[in-house]
Amino acid sequence: MQSFKNHFLMAMPHLEDSHFAGSLSYLCDHDDNGAMGVIVNRPLEITLETLFEQLDLGGEESPHRDAPVYYGGPVHKDRGFILHRGSAQPWDSSIQVSEDVALTTSMDMLKALAEDQGPKQFLICLGCSGWEAGQLEKELKDNVWLTVEGQSSILFETPVEQRLGAAAGILGVDLNLMSSQVGHS
């Protein structure tokens, strides 16, 4: 089985599911048991300041107060997933996704961000996206997604409204020119 960990999933134009239409997801894990990732191009109408306040973390002086919070997907919508540049160490509940990208789900990183002690480049997502064993592979065969290896520069340096196009551009594809009609001959 080919693992798509550290890959982008780009929703094909014919995908009409309201959770994923027009989405760019970043896969943080993929093995025989399924796949897990976060949508990285859907900012919510809340900022990190709101999370700091809701979790009573202070953060009044944090330079990250205005950072957007993203809709990460329809699974575990009450949990935070922090995608960040750098190492999974020393953070609790972290996994190394690629050489320079990690995913953390622990409160210690939010506390550090409130105190300007955390990573400088990060995305905070509420919820995640999950696929059961074999589900993602079937969706790929059904042409629901385009895939390409992830690039941290797209995650952390590309403006949110340009991320999907930038990921497609790695493949030399313009999603705006693709038909929403699918078929097999």
Side-chain angles (χ1 to χ4, degrees), residues 15-21 23 25 39 42 71 73-75 77 129:
L15 180 60
E16 295 179 0
D17 180 304
S18 62
H19 296 291
F20 296 105
S23 71
S25 297
I39 297 171
R42 294 249 177 95
Y71 171 74
V75 180
K77 292 189 281 189
S129 304

Side-chain angles (χ1 to χ4, degrees), residues 4 8 23 68-69 128 137 145 154 180:
F4 289 99
F8 289 124
S23 71
V69 174
C128 67
E137 293 79 2
W145 306 101
I154 291 175
S180 62

Side-chain angles (χ1 to χ4, degrees), residues 9 13 53 56 97 139 145 147:
L9 290 181
E53 289 173 0
D56 198 27
V97 179
E139 291 179 8
W145 306 101
T147 64

Side-chain angles (χ1 to χ4, degrees), residues 51-173:
L51 290 185
F52 289 160
E53 289 173 0
Q54 288 178 351
L55 299 170
D56 198 27
L57 294 176
E60 290 82 8
E61 302 302 317
S62 173
H64 308 297
R65 294 171 57 80
D66 294 330
V69 174
Y70 293 84
Y71 171 74
V75 180
H76 301 299
K77 292 189 281 189
D78 59 334
R79 291 187 56 197
F81 297 83
I82 307 168
L83 201 58
H84 56 95
R85 199 172 236 164
S87 175
Q89 299 299 323
W91 311 107
D92 296 335
S93 303
S94 292
I95 61 168
Q96 198 70 43
V97 179
S98 72
E99 187 176 306
D100 66 339
V101 177
L103 179 73
T104 299
T105 59
S106 57
M107 186 64 77
D108 64 330
M109 182 172 285
L110 280 177
K111 288 178 185 175
L113 289 170
E115 298 167 0
D116 194 21
Q117 302 291 316
K120 300 300 178 206
Q121 294 181 309
F122 62 89
L123 298 176
I124 297 191
C125 303
L126 292 181
C128 67
S129 304
W131 293 263
E132 295 178 354
Q135 182 182 0
L136 179 59
E137 293 79 2
K138 180 182 181 328
E139 291 179 8
L140 289 168
K141 286 180 186 173
D142 291 343
N143 297 316
V144 174
W145 306 101
L146 281 177
T147 64
V148 68
E149 189 169 347
Q151 291 184 0
S152 59
S153 61
I154 291 175
L155 291 170
F156 303 115
E157 298 166 22
T158 303
V160 65
E161 65 278 359
Q162 296 173 17
R163 288 182 189 151
L164 179 60
I170 297 169
L171 296 172
V173 172

Side-chain angles (χ1 to χ4, degrees), residues 27-70:
L27 286 182
C28 301
D29 199 13
H30 182 217
D31 58 24
D32 291 334
N33 298 314
M36 178 270 180
V38 290
I39 297 171
V40 296
N41 67 333
R42 294 249 177 95
L44 297 168
E45 293 187 13
I46 62 171
T47 63
L48 191 50
E49 177 180 20
T50 304
L51 290 185
F52 289 160
E53 289 173 0
Q54 288 178 351
L55 299 170
D56 198 27
L57 294 176
E60 290 82 8
E61 302 302 317
S62 173
H64 308 297
R65 294 171 57 80
D66 294 330
V69 174
Y70 293 84

